[in-house]
Amino acid sequence: MSPKRRKTRQISVGWVKIGGDAPIVVQSMTSTKTHQVEETLQQIERLHSAGCELIRVAVPHEEDLEALPDIVKNSPIPVIADIHFAPSYAFRSMEKGVHGIRINPGNIGKEEIVREIVQEAKKKGVAIRIGVNSGSLEKDLLEKYGYPCAEALFESAMRWSEKLEKWGFDNFKVSIKGSDVLENIKSNLLFAERTNIPLHIGITEAGMGQSGIVKSSVGIGILLYLGIGDTVRVSLTDDPEVEVKVAYDILRSLGIRRQGVEIVACPTCGRIEVDLPKVVMQVKEKLKDVKEPLKIAIMGCVVNAIGEAREADLGLACGRGFAWLFKRGKPIRKVSEEEMAQALLEEVLKYKSEL
C-alpha cells in the first residue's frame, strides 16, 4: 500500500496540476545554456521522453531571456524560469510567456520587489516556486540561529508563504532544501505540519554517482513515506535524464507511481547456476525503452525463483543453464540461458499488446 499523502491545495503550472489529488510530479532542470535554443529543446525532448513533467531553465543572462519565447513555444512540458539576483528577469520572463518562475526571496532582498513580482504573476496566471535553501537565508535569520538549521529554513519558508497569501496570491509552491538529509527532512516536516501549501522536495547539491543517488533516495524517500511532497527533483551532478530515472525509481519503490520496467533480481550467491548479472543487463538493455509499467522477476536459483516469478507480470526462474519463463504466475516454457533475454523481450511485446 502506497503512503497516504498530506492534503494540500492544488496549483497549476501551465497545464500541469500540482498538489490536491494530482499525481506527484517529476521535474528536472536543463544543463544546457538556455540561449542555445536547439540544444536546450533537444534536451527537454529527451527528458520528456524519460518521464519529466516540468522543466526549469536557467536565466542568468540577457541572451537566455531572449531565448525563452522559442523554448516555451516548442517545449512539450511547461517551462519554469530560474531567477535569482536579477528581479527584472522575473518580470521579463513572465512577459516572454513562461508558465512558472522560481525565486529565492532571500536572494532578491527587498520585500517590495518580491511583492511586485507576485502581483505580476497573479495578473499573468504564472505560478511561483518560493525557494528556501541554506545559501539564500535572510541575514536576520542567520543572526538569530547562527547557521542554516532546519528551524531557520522553516521560518523563512513560513515568512514568505504568509506574505504571498496576505498579498492575495495562492498559485505557489514552496521548496525547502539543504544538503544535510536530516535537517532537510526536519524543516519540511515543520512546514508540512502547519500549512496545506504544496511542497517541492529534493536534496540540494546531493553530489555525483552512487553517493548522490543514495543521499537523494534516503531524503526524498523518507519524506514521501511520511506523505510529504507534491513534486520532486533529484538533484545530481549528472545528466538530467538520470535525475528523472532515479526519481521514478524512488516513487516506484514506494508504490506511488509506476513507469517503465521494474526488474526484481536476486543477489548473487553460490547457489546461482547461470550468469545472472549478464542476463539482467541484457534484459535491462532490451527493455530500456518500454514505458508501460511492468514488473519483471529474474531469479537465479530455485530457492526463491518460483515464488518471486509468480508475483511479477513476467519472470524467469533460472536453473542450471536454463530458465522457466513465467507470465502472470504461470509457466509458459523452458528456455536456454542464451535465449533468456530475447524470450523475455518477446513476451513483453505480447504482454504490452494485451494491456
Short mmCIF file of all heavy atoms in Angstrom, two decimals, residues 170-216:
data_model
loop_
_atom_site.label_atom_id
_atom_site.label_comp_id
_atom_site.label_asym_id
_atom_site.label_seq_id
_atom_site.Cartn_x
_atom_site.Cartn_y
_atom_site.Cartn_z
N ASP A 170 -2.13 32.63 -4.29
CA ASP A 170 -2.03 31.27 -3.75
C ASP A 170 -1.56 30.23 -4.78
O ASP A 170 -1.47 29.04 -4.47
CB ASP A 170 -3.37 30.81 -3.15
CG ASP A 170 -4.51 30.79 -4.16
OD1 ASP A 170 -4.25 30.98 -5.38
OD2 ASP A 170 -5.66 30.60 -3.74
N ASN A 171 -1.22 30.67 -6.01
CA ASN A 171 -0.75 29.72 -7.02
C ASN A 171 0.77 29.56 -6.89
O ASN A 171 1.54 29.86 -7.81
CB ASN A 171 -1.12 30.19 -8.43
CG ASN A 171 -0.91 29.10 -9.47
OD1 ASN A 171 -1.14 27.93 -9.21
ND2 ASN A 171 -0.48 29.49 -10.66
N PHE A 172 1.18 29.10 -5.71
CA PHE A 172 2.61 28.92 -5.48
C PHE A 172 2.88 27.65 -4.68
O PHE A 172 2.02 27.14 -3.96
CB PHE A 172 3.20 30.14 -4.75
CG PHE A 172 2.82 30.27 -3.30
CD1 PHE A 172 3.63 29.77 -2.29
CD2 PHE A 172 1.64 30.91 -2.93
CE1 PHE A 172 3.29 29.91 -0.95
CE2 PHE A 172 1.29 31.06 -1.60
CZ PHE A 172 2.12 30.55 -0.61
N LYS A 173 4.09 27.14 -4.87
CA LYS A 173 4.58 26.02 -4.08
C LYS A 173 5.87 26.45 -3.41
O LYS A 173 6.46 27.47 -3.76
CB LYS A 173 4.81 24.79 -4.95
CG LYS A 173 5.83 24.94 -6.06
CD LYS A 173 5.90 23.66 -6.89
CE LYS A 173 6.96 23.73 -7.98
NZ LYS A 173 6.63 24.67 -9.05
N VAL A 174 6.29 25.67 -2.45
CA VAL A 174 7.48 26.01 -1.67
C VAL A 174 8.47 24.86 -1.76
O VAL A 174 8.09 23.68 -1.75
CB VAL A 174 7.11 26.28 -0.20
CG1 VAL A 174 8.35 26.37 0.68
CG2 VAL A 174 6.30 27.57 -0.09
N SER A 175 9.74 25.21 -1.86
CA SER A 175 10.78 24.18 -1.72
C SER A 175 11.73 24.61 -0.61
O SER A 175 12.18 25.76 -0.57
CB SER A 175 11.56 23.98 -3.03
OG SER A 175 12.33 25.11 -3.34
N ILE A 176 11.97 23.69 0.31
CA ILE A 176 12.89 23.92 1.42
C ILE A 176 13.98 22.87 1.28
O ILE A 176 13.76 21.69 1.52
CB ILE A 176 12.20 23.78 2.78
CG1 ILE A 176 10.91 24.61 2.81
CG2 ILE A 176 13.13 24.20 3.91
CD1 ILE A 176 10.06 24.37 4.05
N LYS A 177 15.15 23.30 0.85
CA LYS A 177 16.19 22.33 0.51
C LYS A 177 17.51 22.65 1.20
O LYS A 177 17.90 23.81 1.33
CB LYS A 177 16.43 22.31 -1.00
CG LYS A 177 15.31 21.69 -1.81
CD LYS A 177 15.74 21.60 -3.27
CE LYS A 177 14.70 20.94 -4.14
NZ LYS A 177 15.18 20.79 -5.53
N GLY A 178 18.16 21.59 1.61
CA GLY A 178 19.51 21.68 2.12
C GLY A 178 20.27 20.44 1.72
O GLY A 178 19.67 19.46 1.25
N SER A 179 21.56 20.45 1.88
CA SER A 179 22.35 19.27 1.53
C SER A 179 22.44 18.27 2.68
O SER A 179 22.86 17.14 2.47
CB SER A 179 23.76 19.69 1.10
OG SER A 179 24.40 20.43 2.12
N ASP A 180 22.04 18.69 3.88
CA ASP A 180 22.01 17.79 5.04
C ASP A 180 20.67 17.08 5.07
O ASP A 180 19.61 17.70 5.21
CB ASP A 180 22.23 18.59 6.32
CG ASP A 180 22.30 17.71 7.55
OD1 ASP A 180 21.26 17.12 7.93
OD2 ASP A 180 23.38 17.59 8.15
N VAL A 181 20.68 15.76 4.94
CA VAL A 181 19.45 15.00 4.80
C VAL A 181 18.53 15.17 6.01
O VAL A 181 17.33 15.43 5.87
CB VAL A 181 19.77 13.50 4.58
CG1 VAL A 181 18.50 12.65 4.66
CG2 VAL A 181 20.45 13.29 3.24
N LEU A 182 19.06 15.04 7.22
CA LEU A 182 18.23 15.10 8.41
C LEU A 182 17.64 16.50 8.63
O LEU A 182 16.47 16.64 9.00
CB LEU A 182 19.02 14.65 9.64
CG LEU A 182 19.46 13.18 9.60
CD1 LEU A 182 20.25 12.84 10.87
CD2 LEU A 182 18.26 12.25 9.48
N GLU A 183 18.45 17.54 8.41
CA GLU A 183 17.94 18.91 8.54
C GLU A 183 16.87 19.18 7.49
O GLU A 183 15.88 19.86 7.75
CB GLU A 183 19.09 19.91 8.41
CG GLU A 183 20.06 19.91 9.57
CD GLU A 183 19.44 20.41 10.87
OE1 GLU A 183 18.78 21.47 10.86
OE2 GLU A 183 19.60 19.72 11.90
N ASN A 184 17.08 18.64 6.29
CA ASN A 184 16.12 18.80 5.21
C ASN A 184 14.77 18.18 5.59
O ASN A 184 13.72 18.79 5.43
CB ASN A 184 16.69 18.13 3.95
CG ASN A 184 15.86 18.42 2.71
OD1 ASN A 184 14.71 18.03 2.63
ND2 ASN A 184 16.45 19.08 1.74
N ILE A 185 14.82 16.96 6.10
CA ILE A 185 13.59 16.28 6.50
C ILE A 185 12.88 17.06 7.60
O ILE A 185 11.66 17.29 7.55
CB ILE A 185 13.90 14.84 6.97
CG1 ILE A 185 14.37 13.99 5.78
CG2 ILE A 185 12.69 14.21 7.64
CD1 ILE A 185 14.96 12.65 6.18
N LYS A 186 13.63 17.51 8.59
CA LYS A 186 13.05 18.23 9.72
C LYS A 186 12.38 19.52 9.28
O LYS A 186 11.25 19.82 9.71
CB LYS A 186 14.13 18.52 10.77
CG LYS A 186 13.59 19.15 12.04
CD LYS A 186 14.71 19.35 13.06
CE LYS A 186 14.18 19.97 14.34
NZ LYS A 186 15.27 20.19 15.34
N SER A 187 13.03 20.30 8.44
CA SER A 187 12.46 21.58 8.01
C SER A 187 11.18 21.37 7.20
O SER A 187 10.20 22.12 7.36
CB SER A 187 13.48 22.38 7.20
OG SER A 187 13.92 21.66 6.07
N ASN A 188 11.16 20.36 6.33
CA ASN A 188 9.95 20.07 5.56
C ASN A 188 8.82 19.57 6.45
O ASN A 188 7.65 19.89 6.23
CB ASN A 188 10.26 19.06 4.46
CG ASN A 188 10.85 19.71 3.22
OD1 ASN A 188 10.14 20.21 2.36
ND2 ASN A 188 12.17 19.71 3.14
N LEU A 189 9.17 18.77 7.46
CA LEU A 189 8.15 18.31 8.41
C LEU A 189 7.52 19.47 9.15
O LEU A 189 6.29 19.53 9.32
CB LEU A 189 8.79 17.34 9.42
CG LEU A 189 8.80 15.86 9.06
CD1 LEU A 189 9.64 15.09 10.07
CD2 LEU A 189 7.39 15.30 9.03
N LEU A 190 8.34 20.39 9.63
CA LEU A 190 7.83 21.55 10.35
C LEU A 190 6.86 22.35 9.48
O LEU A 190 5.79 22.78 9.95
CB LEU A 190 8.99 22.45 10.77
CG LEU A 190 9.88 21.94 11.91
CD1 LEU A 190 11.14 22.81 12.03
CD2 LEU A 190 9.12 21.92 13.23
N PHE A 191 7.21 22.52 8.22
CA PHE A 191 6.35 23.28 7.30
C PHE A 191 5.07 22.51 6.97
O PHE A 191 3.98 23.08 6.96
CB PHE A 191 7.13 23.58 6.01
CG PHE A 191 6.43 24.53 5.09
CD1 PHE A 191 6.54 25.90 5.26
CD2 PHE A 191 5.66 24.06 4.04
CE1 PHE A 191 5.90 26.80 4.42
CE2 PHE A 191 5.01 24.94 3.18
CZ PHE A 191 5.13 26.31 3.37
N ALA A 192 5.20 21.21 6.72
CA ALA A 192 4.05 20.40 6.34
C ALA A 192 3.02 20.32 7.45
O ALA A 192 1.81 20.23 7.19
CB ALA A 192 4.51 19.00 5.95
N GLU A 193 3.47 20.35 8.69
CA GLU A 193 2.56 20.25 9.83
C GLU A 193 1.71 21.51 10.00
O GLU A 193 0.67 21.47 10.66
CB GLU A 193 3.36 20.01 11.11
CG GLU A 193 3.95 18.61 11.21
CD GLU A 193 4.96 18.47 12.34
OE1 GLU A 193 5.29 19.52 12.96
OE2 GLU A 193 5.41 17.35 12.59
N ARG A 194 2.12 22.61 9.41
CA ARG A 194 1.46 23.89 9.67
C ARG A 194 0.76 24.51 8.47
O ARG A 194 0.11 25.55 8.61
CB ARG A 194 2.50 24.88 10.23
CG ARG A 194 2.95 24.50 11.63
CD ARG A 194 4.25 25.21 11.98
NE ARG A 194 4.67 24.93 13.36
CZ ARG A 194 5.29 23.82 13.74
NH1 ARG A 194 5.56 22.87 12.85
NH2 ARG A 194 5.62 23.64 15.01
N THR A 195 0.90 23.93 7.30
CA THR A 195 0.29 24.53 6.11
C THR A 195 -0.30 23.45 5.20
O THR A 195 -0.03 22.25 5.36
CB THR A 195 1.31 25.33 5.27
OG1 THR A 195 2.10 24.42 4.50
CG2 THR A 195 2.24 26.16 6.15
N ASN A 196 -1.07 23.90 4.22
CA ASN A 196 -1.54 22.99 3.16
C ASN A 196 -0.95 23.40 1.82
O ASN A 196 -1.48 23.08 0.76
CB ASN A 196 -3.07 22.99 3.10
CG ASN A 196 -3.64 24.31 2.57
OD1 ASN A 196 -2.96 25.34 2.57
ND2 ASN A 196 -4.89 24.30 2.12
N ILE A 197 0.16 24.13 1.87
CA ILE A 197 0.83 24.60 0.65
C ILE A 197 1.61 23.46 0.01
O ILE A 197 2.33 22.73 0.71
CB ILE A 197 1.78 25.77 1.00
CG1 ILE A 197 0.97 26.95 1.56
CG2 ILE A 197 2.58 26.20 -0.23
CD1 ILE A 197 1.82 28.02 2.20
N PRO A 198 1.49 23.27 -1.31
CA PRO A 198 2.24 22.19 -1.98
C PRO A 198 3.75 22.35 -1.78
O PRO A 198 4.28 23.47 -1.80
CB PRO A 198 1.87 22.36 -3.46
CG PRO A 198 0.59 23.11 -3.45
CD PRO A 198 0.64 24.02 -2.26
N LEU A 199 4.42 21.23 -1.61
CA LEU A 199 5.86 21.22 -1.39
C LEU A 199 6.59 20.54 -2.55
O LEU A 199 6.21 19.44 -2.98
CB LEU A 199 6.20 20.50 -0.09
CG LEU A 199 6.23 21.37 1.18
CD1 LEU A 199 6.25 20.48 2.42
CD2 LEU A 199 7.42 22.32 1.18
N HIS A 200 7.62 21.22 -3.02
CA HIS A 200 8.57 20.60 -3.95
C HIS A 200 9.73 20.09 -3.10
O HIS A 200 10.30 20.83 -2.31
CB HIS A 200 9.08 21.64 -4.95
CG HIS A 200 10.27 21.18 -5.73
ND1 HIS A 200 10.17 20.36 -6.82
CD2 HIS A 200 11.59 21.42 -5.56
CE1 HIS A 200 11.38 20.12 -7.30
NE2 HIS A 200 12.27 20.75 -6.55
N ILE A 201 10.05 18.80 -3.23
CA ILE A 201 11.07 18.23 -2.36
C ILE A 201 12.28 17.74 -3.14
O ILE A 201 12.20 17.42 -4.32
CB ILE A 201 10.51 17.08 -1.49
CG1 ILE A 201 9.99 15.93 -2.36
CG2 ILE A 201 9.42 17.60 -0.56
CD1 ILE A 201 9.63 14.68 -1.56
N GLY A 202 13.41 17.67 -2.44
CA GLY A 202 14.65 17.19 -3.01
C GLY A 202 15.78 17.48 -2.05
O GLY A 202 15.61 18.20 -1.06
N ILE A 203 16.92 16.90 -2.32
CA ILE A 203 18.13 17.18 -1.55
C ILE A 203 19.06 17.98 -2.46
O ILE A 203 19.53 17.47 -3.47
CB ILE A 203 18.84 15.89 -1.09
CG1 ILE A 203 17.87 14.99 -0.31
CG2 ILE A 203 20.07 16.21 -0.26
CD1 ILE A 203 17.36 15.59 0.98
N THR A 204 19.31 19.23 -2.11
CA THR A 204 20.14 20.06 -2.97
C THR A 204 21.60 19.66 -2.87
O THR A 204 22.06 19.19 -1.83
CB THR A 204 19.96 21.56 -2.62
OG1 THR A 204 20.54 22.34 -3.66
CG2 THR A 204 20.59 21.92 -1.31
N GLU A 205 22.31 19.82 -3.96
CA GLU A 205 23.75 19.53 -4.01
C GLU A 205 24.04 18.12 -3.48
O GLU A 205 24.99 17.91 -2.72
CB GLU A 205 24.52 20.58 -3.20
CG GLU A 205 24.33 21.99 -3.73
CD GLU A 205 24.53 23.05 -2.66
OE1 GLU A 205 24.78 22.69 -1.51
OE2 GLU A 205 24.42 24.24 -3.00
N ALA A 206 23.25 17.16 -3.93
CA ALA A 206 23.41 15.79 -3.43
C ALA A 206 24.73 15.16 -3.89
O ALA A 206 25.26 14.27 -3.22
CB ALA A 206 22.24 14.92 -3.89
N GLY A 207 25.23 15.61 -5.04
CA GLY A 207 26.52 15.10 -5.49
C GLY A 207 26.42 14.20 -6.71
O GLY A 207 25.43 14.19 -7.43
N MET A 208 27.45 13.39 -6.90
CA MET A 208 27.61 12.60 -8.12
C MET A 208 27.49 11.10 -7.83
O MET A 208 27.85 10.64 -6.74
CB MET A 208 28.98 12.90 -8.74
CG MET A 208 29.31 12.13 -10.01
SD MET A 208 30.94 12.55 -10.66
CE MET A 208 30.58 14.13 -11.43
N GLY A 209 27.01 10.37 -8.83
CA GLY A 209 27.05 8.92 -8.79
C GLY A 209 26.29 8.30 -7.63
O GLY A 209 25.25 8.81 -7.20
N GLN A 210 26.82 7.20 -7.13
CA GLN A 210 26.13 6.43 -6.10
C GLN A 210 25.84 7.24 -4.85
O GLN A 210 24.74 7.16 -4.30
CB GLN A 210 26.96 5.20 -5.72
CG GLN A 210 26.30 4.34 -4.64
CD GLN A 210 27.10 3.10 -4.34
OE1 GLN A 210 27.69 2.51 -5.22
NE2 GLN A 210 27.11 2.70 -3.08
N SER A 211 26.80 8.05 -4.39
CA SER A 211 26.57 8.81 -3.15
C SER A 211 25.43 9.80 -3.32
O SER A 211 24.61 9.98 -2.41
CB SER A 211 27.86 9.53 -2.73
OG SER A 211 28.27 10.46 -3.71
N GLY A 212 25.36 10.45 -4.49
CA GLY A 212 24.28 11.39 -4.74
C GLY A 212 22.93 10.70 -4.83
O GLY A 212 21.92 11.21 -4.32
N ILE A 213 22.89 9.55 -5.48
CA ILE A 213 21.65 8.80 -5.61
C ILE A 213 21.18 8.30 -4.25
O ILE A 213 19.99 8.40 -3.90
CB ILE A 213 21.83 7.62 -6.60
CG1 ILE A 213 22.00 8.16 -8.02
CG2 ILE A 213 20.64 6.67 -6.53
CD1 ILE A 213 22.37 7.11 -9.04
N VAL A 214 22.11 7.78 -3.45
CA VAL A 214 21.75 7.28 -2.12
C VAL A 214 21.22 8.42 -1.24
O VAL A 214 20.18 8.30 -0.58
CB VAL A 214 22.95 6.59 -1.44
CG1 VAL A 214 22.64 6.30 0.02
CG2 VAL A 214 23.29 5.29 -2.18
N LYS A 215 21.94 9.52 -1.23
CA LYS A 215 21.55 10.67 -0.41
C LYS A 215 20.15 11.17 -0.81
O LYS A 215 19.30 11.43 0.05
CB LYS A 215 22.58 11.78 -0.58
CG LYS A 215 22.58 12.83 0.50
CD LYS A 215 23.79 13.75 0.31
CE LYS A 215 23.87 14.79 1.42
NZ LYS A 215 25.04 15.67 1.27
N SER A 216 19.92 11.30 -2.10
CA SER A 216 18.62 11.75 -2.59
C SER A 216 17.53 10.74 -2.27
O SER A 216 16.43 11.11 -1.85
CB SER A 216 18.68 11.98 -4.11
OG SER A 216 19.53 13.05 -4.43
#
